[in-house]
Amino acid sequence: MCPYCYIGKIHYEQALQQFAHANEVELVIKAFRLNPNLPDKGNGYSVVDYLLKTAGLSENNLKQMFAYIEQLAENAGVKFNLPNAIAANTLDAHRLVKLAAKKNLDSKVLSLISKAYFEDAQDYSDINLLTEIGIKAGLDEAEIDQMFAGDDFKAEVERDIQEAHQLGIDTVPTFLFERKQAIIGAEPVQVFLDALKTTNITLGDMEVRKGKSCNADGTCEI
């Protein structure tokens, strides 16, 4: 749901391509839900309406945010389509990512879900869309259907959220590097590369680099 998450992940992946020890890096994706009161099962609504009416942004602030994110998207080489995007409940999307993690496909699934939201303006709470994404990523359709028919991975998603609260994390995206450094937001590629190169240092308190991000109620910084 957070546009900075999509761009941030792209920046991280671009940094990883430049990192000499990329094959030694393990990526663990954790769930964090922005505004869990949003509708699910394909009943999402215009993200513009959400940001104006629910999140309380002014039209001028919304234009400023979109202009900034559009520039980030252009620099990252991805299509910007946020004015047509859909705001919806993220629980089932997180569950699919958890299922994909069993086959090391979670990063791929997350990228496909984010693209569906950010570039294609699709409702990522729609089970049919999520099933299509899972199959495209390499998951078994029957396994996906079985998960969505029950409550699989709901507890795991909730545990991730509780872990984030315990660590004092209340905004996304947050990238933790061995819990010694944290990057918050869609920071430049070089910031991610520097973090990858220095995660073996000993730090007292966690070092944090913060850029623009989205907070727990689903509002994003301008």
Side-chain angles (χ1 to χ4, degrees):
M1 179 181 175
C2 169
Y4 297 119
C5 291
Y6 186 39
I7 303 297
K9 186 172 185 291
I10 291 172
H11 287 176
Y12 162 77
E13 290 168 345
Q14 291 174 345
L16 198 61
Q17 292 174 359
Q18 302 175 43
F19 184 49
H21 303 282
N23 62 335
E24 300 173 27
V25 176
E26 178 186 8
L27 174 65
V28 179
I29 296 173
K30 299 285 190 176
F32 192 94
R33 298 178 66 192
L34 297 181
N35 196 337
N37 295 320
L38 283 166
D40 61 2
K41 303 300 185 289
N43 295 306
Y45 60 96
S46 164
V47 76
V48 170
D49 286 346
Y50 170 76
L51 292 172
L52 291 176
K53 298 176 182 178
T54 304
L57 288 184
S58 68
E59 291 189 8
N60 185 55
N61 286 342
L62 184 62
K63 288 179 181 178
Q64 290 179 34
M65 185 179 79
F66 278 174
Y68 177 78
I69 298 173
E70 184 174 14
Q71 187 61 57
L72 285 178
E74 181 179 338
N75 294 340
V78 298
K79 176 183 175 183
F80 173 79
N81 198 19
L82 271 185
N84 297 312
I86 303 297
N89 197 296
T90 59
L91 177 58
D92 286 330
H94 283 305
R95 294 172 65 203
L96 183 65
V97 173
K98 290 295 183 186
L99 175 64
K102 295 172 61 178
K103 297 183 179 180
N104 295 319
L105 294 171
D106 47 341
S107 181
K108 185 174 183 179
V109 166
L110 178 57
S111 292
L112 289 172
I113 294 172
S114 298
K115 180 181 182 298
Y117 164 65
F118 189 95
E119 298 189 48
D120 303 330
Q122 294 178 291
D123 188 336
Y124 49 77
S125 73
D126 187 292
I127 299 301
N128 291 328
L129 172 64
L130 292 173
T131 301
E132 291 174 7
I133 286 174
I135 294 171
K136 183 177 181 179
L139 296 176
D140 180 72
E141 183 174 3
E143 192 173 14
I144 298 171
D145 290 343
Q146 180 180 354
M147 179 193 69
F148 283 136
D151 294 328
D152 295 357
F153 301 109
K154 287 184 179 180
E156 287 85 345
V157 169
E158 185 58 33
R159 279 200 295 269
D160 282 356
I161 295 169
Q162 291 302 319
E163 180 184 13
H165 291 325
Q166 290 168 4
L167 291 170
I169 295 171
D170 58 4
T171 56
V172 292
T174 296
F175 299 82
L176 292 183
F177 294 81
E178 295 184 352
R179 299 200 180 189
K180 296 176 180 177
Q181 296 187 76
I183 295 175
I184 298 175
E187 289 295 83
V189 173
Q190 188 60 48
V191 174
F192 285 93
L193 186 57
D194 290 343
L196 287 165
K197 290 178 177 179
T198 58
T199 50
N200 61 337
I201 64 175
T202 300
L203 297 171
D205 295 330
M206 187 183 298
E207 180 182 328
V208 179
R209 171 71 180 261
K210 188 179 187 305
K212 296 184 187 299
S213 56
C214 298
N215 60 29
D217 65 4
T219 57
C220 300
E221 293 177 338
I222 301 167

